[in-house]
Amino acid sequence: MKAPAFTFLRPASLDEALAALAAGEGEARILAGGQSLLPMLNLRMAAAETLIDIGGLTELGEIAEADGRVRIGARVTHAALEDGVGGDRWNGMLVFVARDIAYRAVRNRGTIGGSLCHADPAADWPVAMMALGATMQIAGPDGRRELDSEAFSLDVFSCALEEGEMLTAVSLPRLSPAARWSYRKMRKKAGAFGEAIAAVVHDPESGLVRVVAGSSPLGGPARHADLEASIAAGAPVEDAAIRRSLAAREPDLDRYEMQIHATCLRRAITEVMR
Amino acid sequence: MTRLSLTVNGEAVSVDTEPRVSLADFLRDRLALKGTHLGCEHGACGACTVLLDGVPVRSCITLAASCEGAAVTTVEGFEDDAVVARLRAAFTEEHALQCGYCTPGMLATARDIVMRHTTPDIAAIRHELAGCICRCTGYRGIVRAVARVIAERAPVGAAPDGDCGPDAESP
Ligand SMILES: Cc1cc2nc3c(=O)[nH]c(=O)nc-3n(C[C@H](O)[C@H](O)[C@H](O)COP(=O)(O)OP(=O)(O)OC[C@H]3O[C@@H](n4cnc5c(N)ncnc54)[C@H](O)[C@@H]3O)c2cc1C
Ligand code: FES
Ligand code: FES
């Protein structure tokens, strides 16, 4: 239960961090809050020759608004989002999601960027960010680029970052006051990872309609375009349609998994359309 | 080995340490502060919870090296803390501990709950305590003790603070 040996770096700037990543040639890893990486190192489920602690990069800890979108630095903690630091532009959604991630002591260190890069299929931010239409801002040896959530989320524990790249921020639109959202999670106890997660967002002003489900059995978050179309049209969404949509995506759900996923989605859709 | 300088329980400390050493092992093995207990060593049980710049963190999944320049408070550093003094009394009166293994983490967590809540809402306290496992008490005494201190503090507002870092008084 102790981490293996590694070299520890604490760069003072983004350029320094990127240079260290490049020098590591694939054997160096970013350390953000460490709330996923350190348990895995302790359990010897992960290894790294070098850890690059980004705790000193103030630029990555900022929240700023420009052109109707809000940029949340990768290093912003779950606790800061729970406390609404930087202002709530999502009618309470980010505060609600943050409050139910792990425990306060974990939220004080765990970061939104770490959660997105770690890409645990049952993690909360990947689902919530996809539902809000977030894009991922990436810096690397070839400069900067931006990817939408769907392109960023590749597979279980895998995201679209290339070797030498890191996530600097997520950029997301603010919701209008008329927007409605619902976030439903089935879990064994408060703070445990969700066995099923559903996030639904409908903003009539911007036209944003998202239905996202995520969890380990589903292999991570993805959108349900057929259900989104029904919501956009104001058409009622039957339970059978939800089950068909889930089965089309993951035919191997057992009865229990289907039941909890369908229930989460139904409750979230009902809450938003009410 | 890297030189690590930080403040622990109000005292400046500067010690050589290996980068892979957790804050928990640093406190226990290098500083002989054995009040910080280890249970799961992967963030799930809460026994190792200490204050880092005034807020609770898991010392088992925080690297000591990441705490350069920070202020750490362990259970040994709560002696003069007014909020923890009240919690200690309430824990005694409500039978909120038996073997005491979970208690250092419970106190660090309970202090934070008391600092952030102004009404003793039992459901909210239980939600906040969900990350701290106690194998003895069945939690009822702990929940009652935390609720009691929140209720006691409510009429007088924020109680005088102990030496627990800059953010300790934030709501
Ligand atoms: C007991 C416990 C319960 C938990 N419960 C939940 C839960 O219910 N829901 C949930 O969503 N999460 C949960 N988590 C995980 C938690 O949210 C983590 O904080 C999060 O997954 C990782 O964020 P971090 O900042 O700690 O990242 P780290 O652990 O530091 O890093 C994780 C991975 O991402 C990489 N990385 C980090 N930041 C960057 C970056 N900016 N650019 C490139 N790569 C980067 C690292 O190299 C590493 O591979 C739980 C954790 C614990 C310990
Ligand atoms: S020992 Fe740190 S949370 Fe269990
Ligand atoms: S008092 Fe024994 S584990 Fe809590």
Side-chain angles (χ1 to χ4, degrees):
Chain A
M1 302 298 284
K2 307 290 177 192
F6 47 76
T7 306
F8 180 82
L9 301 174
R10 200 175 161 87
S13 71
L14 182 62
D15 286 343
E16 233 181 272
L18 288 170
L21 258 188
E25 293 179 344
E27 302 300 326
R29 291 178 86 148
I30 299 289
L31 174 70
Q35 301 303 288
S36 295
L37 188 50
L38 288 173
M40 289 177 68
L41 287 170
N42 281 0
L43 295 164
R44 307 271 169 137
M45 287 160 62
E49 271 175 20
T50 306
L51 287 193
I52 304 166
D53 186 341
I54 57 171
L57 306 191
T58 39
E59 168 192 351
L60 267 54
E62 287 161 5
I63 301 176
E65 188 163 358
D67 308 325
R69 289 182 80 87
V70 186
R71 187 180 179 278
I72 301 177
R75 211 169 64 72
V76 170
T77 63
H78 311 327
L81 294 169
E82 173 183 13
D83 294 345
V85 171
D88 169 25
R89 288 108 163 167
W90 303 277
N91 304 343
M93 180 167 168
L94 260 52
V95 173
F96 181 90
V97 172
R99 180 165 296 156
D100 215 23
I101 296 176
Y103 317 108
R104 183 75 183 184
V106 173
R107 296 197 290 274
N108 277 328
R109 292 201 61 77
T111 67
I112 185 167
S115 172
L116 290 161
C117 294
H118 188 58
D120 189 311
D124 290 283
W125 288 130
V127 176
M129 289 299 114
M130 196 179 283
L132 282 165
T135 58
M136 308 293 144
Q137 300 189 340
I138 297 164
D142 305 323
R144 305 216 173 200
R145 63 182 180 126
E146 197 155 332
L147 283 178
D148 63 30
S149 313
E150 293 96 300
F152 185 79
S153 155
L154 285 187
D155 202 350
V156 174
F157 294 110
S158 143
C159 68
L161 289 180
E162 303 279 354
E163 195 178 308
E165 283 188 329
M166 56 186 281
L167 185 71
T168 56
V170 296
S171 157
L172 55 162
R174 55 186 308 159
L175 292 180
S176 75
R180 298 179 63 89
W181 59 268
S182 177
Y183 191 85
R184 294 286 184 153
K185 178 157 77 166
M186 296 271 185
R187 42 152 175 69
K188 290 239 163 67
K189 71 181 262 278
F193 278 97
E195 288 185 66
I197 305 176
V200 178
V201 175
H202 183 200
D203 191 340
E205 238 162 74
S206 69
L208 180 78
V209 183
R210 290 281 167 106
V211 176
V212 179
S215 73
S216 297
L218 288 179
R223 292 171 60 184
H224 288 257
D226 47 347
L227 304 179
E228 290 176 1
S230 302
I231 294 176
V237 180
E238 305 292 341
D239 192 55
I242 292 173
R243 285 168 189 267
R244 262 199 314 277
S245 189
L246 282 164
R249 191 175 140 193
E250 182 46 68
D252 291 334
L253 291 180
D254 64 28
R255 278 183 61 199
Y256 169 73
E257 290 163 348
M258 176 57 89
Q259 181 66 27
I260 58 174
H261 282 93
T263 302
C264 275
L265 273 172
R266 191 183 63 246
R267 286 179 181 166
I269 292 169
T270 307
E271 197 174 357
V272 162
M273 294 185 81
R274 193 165 44 214
Chain B
M1 286 283 181
T2 44
R3 190 94 188 153
L4 176 63
S5 302
L6 70 171
T7 307
V8 179
N9 298 334
E11 279 180 36
V13 173
S14 193
V15 185
D16 285 334
T17 184
E18 259 190 286
R20 71 187 186 114
V21 172
S22 70
L23 177 60
D25 287 342
F26 177 80
L27 293 167
R28 289 177 54 85
D29 300 344
R30 297 305 303 267
L31 304 184
L33 294 169
K34 307 277 183 176
T36 296
H37 293 166
L38 284 168
C40 67
E41 293 186 70
H42 62 269
C45 77
C48 68
T49 307
V50 301
L51 301 185
L52 180 62
D53 290 334
V55 299
V57 302
R58 305 297 211 212
S59 61
C60 68
I61 51 172
T62 299
L63 289 178
S66 295
C67 301
E68 174 72 36
V72 175
T73 310
T74 69
V75 69
E76 291 92 341
F78 284 145
E79 213 168 334
D80 301 324
D81 185 288
V83 176
V84 179
R86 292 189 186 197
L87 281 165
R88 253 193 321 262
F91 267 53
T92 308
E93 281 150 25
E94 300 290 356
H95 302 285
L97 70 151
Q98 187 182 326
C99 79
Y101 200 84
C102 67
T103 311
M106 285 289 181
L107 285 173
T109 305
R111 183 186 190 281
D112 179 62
I113 300 172
V114 169
M115 303 303 285
R116 289 186 297 111
H117 291 261
T118 49
T119 49
D121 175 344
I122 297 301
I125 294 170
R126 284 189 171 273
H127 185 263
E128 294 272 9
L129 280 173
C132 294
I133 292 174
C134 175
R135 286 301 184 224
C136 298
T137 64
Y139 302 101
R140 292 187 58 175
I142 301 173
V143 173
R144 275 201 303 263
V146 175
R148 178 197 276 237
V149 176
I150 295 174
E152 277 172 11
R153 271 165 53 92
V156 290
D161 187 22
D163 182 21
C164 290
D167 294 327
E169 281 291 78
S170 64

PDB file of all heavy atoms in Angstrom, chain B residues 97-102 134-137, ligand 3:
ATOM      1  N   LEU B  97     -17.127   7.951  20.641  1.00  0.00           N
ATOM      2  CA  LEU B  97     -15.988   7.083  20.327  1.00  0.00           C
ATOM      3  C   LEU B  97     -15.922   5.921  21.304  1.00  0.00           C
ATOM      4  O   LEU B  97     -16.421   6.004  22.427  1.00  0.00           O
ATOM      5  CB  LEU B  97     -14.657   7.837  20.354  1.00  0.00           C
ATOM      6  CG  LEU B  97     -14.125   8.317  21.707  1.00  0.00           C
ATOM      7  CD1 LEU B  97     -12.614   8.362  21.684  1.00  0.00           C
ATOM      8  CD2 LEU B  97     -14.693   9.682  22.027  1.00  0.00           C
ATOM      9  N   GLN B  98     -15.307   4.837  20.801  1.00  0.00           N
ATOM     10  CA  GLN B  98     -15.073   3.703  21.686  1.00  0.00           C
ATOM     11  C   GLN B  98     -13.583   3.357  21.648  1.00  0.00           C
ATOM     12  O   GLN B  98     -12.824   3.738  22.517  1.00  0.00           O
ATOM     13  CB  GLN B  98     -15.945   2.526  21.287  1.00  0.00           C
ATOM     14  CG  GLN B  98     -15.858   1.379  22.284  1.00  0.00           C
ATOM     15  CD  GLN B  98     -16.693   0.191  21.857  1.00  0.00           C
ATOM     16  OE1 GLN B  98     -17.752   0.326  21.256  1.00  0.00           O
ATOM     17  NE2 GLN B  98     -16.206  -0.999  22.169  1.00  0.00           N
ATOM     18  N   CYS B  99     -13.123   2.726  20.548  1.00  0.00           N
ATOM     19  CA  CYS B  99     -11.689   2.403  20.493  1.00  0.00           C
ATOM     20  C   CYS B  99     -10.853   3.622  20.134  1.00  0.00           C
ATOM     21  O   CYS B  99      -9.680   3.689  20.444  1.00  0.00           O
ATOM     22  CB  CYS B  99     -11.423   1.282  19.493  1.00  0.00           C
ATOM     23  SG  CYS B  99     -11.413   1.833  17.766  1.00  0.00           S
ATOM     24  N   GLY B 100     -11.451   4.587  19.444  1.00  0.00           N
ATOM     25  CA  GLY B 100     -10.743   5.822  19.121  1.00  0.00           C
ATOM     26  C   GLY B 100      -9.935   5.793  17.838  1.00  0.00           C
ATOM     27  O   GLY B 100      -9.299   6.789  17.500  1.00  0.00           O
ATOM     28  N   TYR B 101      -9.972   4.685  17.107  1.00  0.00           N
ATOM     29  CA  TYR B 101      -9.143   4.628  15.905  1.00  0.00           C
ATOM     30  C   TYR B 101      -9.578   5.661  14.862  1.00  0.00           C
ATOM     31  O   TYR B 101      -8.750   6.295  14.215  1.00  0.00           O
ATOM     32  CB  TYR B 101      -9.139   3.224  15.276  1.00  0.00           C
ATOM     33  CG  TYR B 101      -7.948   3.035  14.373  1.00  0.00           C
ATOM     34  CD1 TYR B 101      -6.716   2.650  14.878  1.00  0.00           C
ATOM     35  CD2 TYR B 101      -8.028   3.315  13.007  1.00  0.00           C
ATOM     36  CE1 TYR B 101      -5.597   2.534  14.071  1.00  0.00           C
ATOM     37  CE2 TYR B 101      -6.913   3.201  12.190  1.00  0.00           C
ATOM     38  CZ  TYR B 101      -5.707   2.807  12.728  1.00  0.00           C
ATOM     39  OH  TYR B 101      -4.602   2.706  11.923  1.00  0.00           O
ATOM     40  N   CYS B 102     -10.889   5.829  14.722  1.00  0.00           N
ATOM     41  CA  CYS B 102     -11.395   6.763  13.712  1.00  0.00           C
ATOM     42  C   CYS B 102     -11.373   8.206  14.195  1.00  0.00           C
ATOM     43  O   CYS B 102     -11.568   9.127  13.405  1.00  0.00           O
ATOM     44  CB  CYS B 102     -12.832   6.393  13.329  1.00  0.00           C
ATOM     45  SG  CYS B 102     -14.024   6.647  14.671  1.00  0.00           S
ATOM     46  N   CYS B 134     -16.460   4.335  10.992  1.00  0.00           N
ATOM     47  CA  CYS B 134     -16.273   3.988  12.398  1.00  0.00           C
ATOM     48  C   CYS B 134     -16.818   2.582  12.607  1.00  0.00           C
ATOM     49  O   CYS B 134     -17.971   2.317  12.289  1.00  0.00           O
ATOM     50  CB  CYS B 134     -17.016   4.959  13.311  1.00  0.00           C
ATOM     51  SG  CYS B 134     -16.929   4.477  15.044  1.00  0.00           S
ATOM     52  N   ARG B 135     -15.976   1.698  13.106  1.00  0.00           N
ATOM     53  CA  ARG B 135     -16.409   0.314  13.285  1.00  0.00           C
ATOM     54  C   ARG B 135     -17.002   0.061  14.667  1.00  0.00           C
ATOM     55  O   ARG B 135     -17.432  -1.042  14.960  1.00  0.00           O
ATOM     56  CB  ARG B 135     -15.220  -0.632  13.040  1.00  0.00           C
ATOM     57  CG  ARG B 135     -14.855  -0.764  11.577  1.00  0.00           C
ATOM     58  CD  ARG B 135     -16.008  -1.288  10.760  1.00  0.00           C
ATOM     59  NE  ARG B 135     -15.651  -1.509   9.365  1.00  0.00           N
ATOM     60  CZ  ARG B 135     -16.394  -1.164   8.329  1.00  0.00           C
ATOM     61  NH1 ARG B 135     -17.531  -0.512   8.512  1.00  0.00           N
ATOM     62  NH2 ARG B 135     -16.013  -1.446   7.097  1.00  0.00           N
ATOM     63  N   CYS B 136     -16.986   1.082  15.547  1.00  0.00           N
ATOM     64  CA  CYS B 136     -17.454   0.859  16.918  1.00  0.00           C
ATOM     65  C   CYS B 136     -18.831   1.449  17.204  1.00  0.00           C
ATOM     66  O   CYS B 136     -19.719   0.782  17.687  1.00  0.00           O
ATOM     67  CB  CYS B 136     -16.479   1.457  17.922  1.00  0.00           C
ATOM     68  SG  CYS B 136     -14.835   0.737  17.865  1.00  0.00           S
ATOM     69  N   THR B 137     -18.995   2.746  16.910  1.00  0.00           N
ATOM     70  CA  THR B 137     -20.097   3.472  17.554  1.00  0.00           C
ATOM     71  C   THR B 137     -21.449   3.352  16.873  1.00  0.00           C
ATOM     72  O   THR B 137     -22.467   3.641  17.498  1.00  0.00           O
ATOM     73  CB  THR B 137     -19.775   4.982  17.599  1.00  0.00           C
ATOM     74  OG1 THR B 137     -19.693   5.460  16.244  1.00  0.00           O
ATOM     75  CG2 THR B 137     -18.465   5.245  18.305  1.00  0.00           C
TER      76      THR B 137
HETATM   77  S1  FES C   3     -14.376   4.483  17.760  1.00  0.00           S
HETATM   78 FE1  FES C   3     -13.547   2.613  17.071  1.00  0.00          FE
HETATM   79  S2  FES C   3     -13.564   2.908  14.925  1.00  0.00           S
HETATM   80 FE2  FES C   3     -14.644   4.634  15.622  1.00  0.00          FE
END
